[in-house]
Amino acid sequence: MSASRRSGTTDELGPDEPGEPGGSDLLAALLDGMDAALCAFDADGVVTHWNREAERILGWTAAEAVGRHGFAGWAVRSADAEEVHARLMSAMHAPGRQVHEFALVTKDGGRVLVRTQSAAVRGPDGKPAGVYCAFSEVHAQIDLERSIALSEALFEDAAWGVVLIDADLRPAVVNAHAARALGIGRTSALGRPLGELLAQGVEELEAALTHVLAEGAPPAPAEMWVTLRSSQGEKRRCWRSGFVRLASPLAEEPVPLGVGWLFQDVTESRQSEQEAALLRFRTNQLHRAARAAAECENPAEAATVHLDFALAGFADHALIDRVAPSPRAEGPDGEETAVRLVRLAATPTGAPGPSLLTGAAGLPVRYEPGHPALQCVERAGAVRTDAGSVPAERAREWALARQWPGDAVHALCAVLRSRGRTLGVVTFLRGSGRSRFERSDTAYAEDVAVRIAAALDLAEAVREE
């Protein structure tokens, strides 16, 4: 059924061409395809057009609606008919559009509140020839307005980052919070590969986005560690991220438009939790080591017990070097000789296992001048060092030159002191799979060194007795 009366429409749109749809048919198809309900009145208030969406909302078909005079007696209550008709027809002589809300009556007798936008229809002479009225249910309009308002708020005032990622995994829209988190302008990030914004963590993020495009939103937020590129260097951050798949509401089948990525920076809380958990673990290790060492008859063995407990989760290798007797004896010219260190214990370099006591022969370790262990003894303080960003072969040469296992790239030396004397050095080594030693690691190493030094001092006292 056509959504409009055919009279006068064809001439206005142009004559029908052979083999082409008529102008009135085209108009009817356009009206019926609209998402909004639409009706029109001529200058006398007679309904001239009525589309399918209007039929869906109110239940009245085009055949039942077209030709009626106003809404009186069928689409509005009699008490409201005069006011509704006057407000609709007033748009014919008013500039622009007018917005009203009416309670209309459905065909089955129900009532529905609609919001209308009405405006005048001009004839060929430019004079008002009628009124068109587009209307939709108020709750649908409010839902649309809320959706728009939500989008505006998310991209302007949200306290978390919001980024729309297109199907090519590139940012399409970035809100102000996300731009600050990325350290880049809102427009500068658009269309750029994520690899240009993130130094690390981009593979994990792109994998998550690809999964959402293919499978839909995950059931819970995910926490991702990323490293940002900035003018001040690289910054490591933890983002709690949520993802939603965006699909076009206009397509018959869901067509992915991209992914909505919402994230919040939780770096400080996660770091605090990790530090607290690490502190609890290390405190427990010190406690367990003290109890195990107390059962050792040989104090030197107790020193290796402390070393083994400290190694768990802290380093890959560990060494204990004891200061050789009379390290500061004067040479032939009256000058003090260099410090000499003897290897006392070391962790196995091949297979994992307990530390082994060595150095029975008392031969000094061939440390070159300036070695971190020698610096530690001379300064009576901790020394941190690492191989730096060099190829694996260079790093191996660096470690072997310092008499350390070949896979070591980070080192931390802590001095062993007891009763005001320097007894030696404990050295902790990490491989390339671990991060470099930090200040918190130094404090832990010094706690372990105090316990090892006490055990070695006791061993010396027992041996003298």
Side-chain angles (χ1 to χ4, degrees):
M1 180 69 187
S2 173
S4 65
R5 294 190 305 179
R6 304 296 178 87
S7 61
T9 305
T10 302
D11 293 338
E12 191 169 325
L13 293 178
D16 296 347
E17 296 293 338
E20 295 184 359
S24 58
D25 293 333
L26 177 59
L27 176 59
L30 291 173
L31 294 178
D32 285 342
M34 294 177 61
D35 291 332
L38 186 137
C39 64
F41 304 87
D42 61 16
D44 297 325
V46 176
V47 178
T48 60
H49 297 77
W50 190 266
N51 72 348
R52 293 185 186 275
E53 184 65 12
E55 177 182 342
R56 186 194 67 79
I57 294 176
L58 297 179
W60 302 96
T61 65
E64 295 170 322
V66 173
R68 291 179 179 264
H69 187 275
F71 287 154
W74 61 290
V76 295
R77 296 189 309 170
S78 299
D80 301 331
E82 184 176 351
E83 179 187 358
V84 170
H85 184 75
R87 294 171 70 179
L88 285 175
M89 298 308 294
S90 65
M92 189 166 57
H93 303 287
R97 292 179 299 175
Q98 292 188 343
V99 179
H100 303 287
E101 290 187 2
F102 302 128
L104 300 183
V105 178
T106 63
K107 186 176 181 179
D108 58 6
R111 298 182 70 195
V112 58
L113 184 63
V114 299
R115 178 173 296 176
T116 66
Q117 295 187 39
S118 54
V121 177
R122 305 288 176 179
D125 56 358
K127 296 181 179 180
V131 174
Y132 81 83
C133 174
F135 63 91
S136 60
E137 297 175 80
V138 167
H139 71 82
Q141 182 72 20
I142 292 176
D143 288 345
L144 175 61
E145 293 177 1
R146 284 174 177 163
S147 298
I148 296 174
L150 175 60
S151 299
E152 293 289 340
L154 285 176
F155 287 107
E156 295 298 334
D157 306 322
W160 54 87
V162 181
V163 182
L164 297 190
I165 305 292
D166 62 21
D168 295 326
L169 305 186
R170 301 193 178 200
V173 184
V174 179
N175 77 339
H177 188 94
R180 290 192 297 270
L182 291 168
I184 195 170
R186 294 183 62 178
T187 57
S188 301
L190 303 185
R192 296 175 59 180
L194 293 173
E196 294 183 7
L197 306 177
L198 304 177
Q200 295 180 9
V202 64
E203 295 85 359
E204 182 182 5
L205 177 58
E206 288 184 343
L209 295 172
T210 303
H211 173 80
V212 174
L213 283 172
E215 304 292 339
E223 292 186 359
M224 297 183 177
W225 284 91
V226 300
T227 302
L228 300 174
R229 290 191 176 97
S230 67
S231 57
Q232 292 79 26
E234 295 184 351
K235 296 188 299 183
R236 186 164 170 80
R237 313 301 296 172
C238 180
W239 289 341
R240 177 179 292 164
S241 302
F243 304 93
V244 290
R245 181 167 61 178
L246 306 178
S248 173
L250 304 179
E252 294 183 3
E253 297 181 359
V255 178
L257 295 179
V259 177
W261 172 31
L262 295 84
F263 66 90
Q264 193 171 28
D265 195 319
V266 294
T267 306
E268 294 183 2
S269 61
R270 287 296 166 267
Q271 287 179 339
S272 298
E273 292 174 2
Q274 290 177 356
E275 291 172 0
L278 184 60
L279 180 60
R280 287 195 300 270
F281 173 76
R282 290 179 175 178
T283 301
N284 289 335
Q285 287 296 97
L286 291 175
H287 175 70
R288 294 171 60 195
R291 295 188 60 182
E295 302 301 323
C296 297
E297 294 183 5
N298 183 359
E301 182 182 350
T304 62
V305 168
H306 283 290
L307 191 66
D308 291 334
F309 274 94
L311 203 64
F314 182 67
D316 298 315
H317 306 286
L319 314 168
I320 298 178
D321 294 327
R322 179 70 182 267
V323 174
S326 303
R328 294 295 182 182
E330 293 184 355
D333 300 331
E335 296 180 357
E336 293 182 346
T337 59
V339 175
R340 296 181 302 165
L341 297 175
V342 176
R343 180 66 44 82
L344 181 65
T347 54
T349 56
S355 301
L356 303 176
L357 289 171
T358 61
L363 299 177
V365 185
R366 295 180 295 104
Y367 286 150
E368 296 290 336
H371 190 280
L374 299 178
Q375 295 181 30
C376 181
V377 173
E378 293 170 357
R379 300 176 185 177
V383 175
R384 289 180 292 166
T385 185
D386 58 71
S389 300
V390 296
E393 188 59 33
R394 292 284 302 278
R396 178 177 176 81
E397 295 174 359
W398 175 87
L400 295 178
R402 287 157 180 76
Q403 309 301 316
W404 292 333
D407 59 345
V409 295
H410 309 292
L412 170 59
C413 299
V415 66
L416 303 176
R417 286 185 61 82
S418 178
R419 294 190 295 169
R421 298 178 302 146
T422 298
L423 304 182
V425 179
V426 57
T427 302
F428 295 100
L429 302 169
R430 288 178 178 175
S432 58
R434 294 177 180 264
S435 61
R436 61 189 305 176
F437 289 100
E438 304 294 343
R439 287 185 178 274
S440 58
D441 299 323
T442 300
Y444 179 62
E446 290 175 341
D447 284 344
V448 176
V450 168
R451 289 162 170 76
I452 294 176
L456 294 181
D457 196 11
L458 178 59
E460 181 178 345
V462 170
R463 185 167 55 253
E464 290 177 354
E465 290 179 2

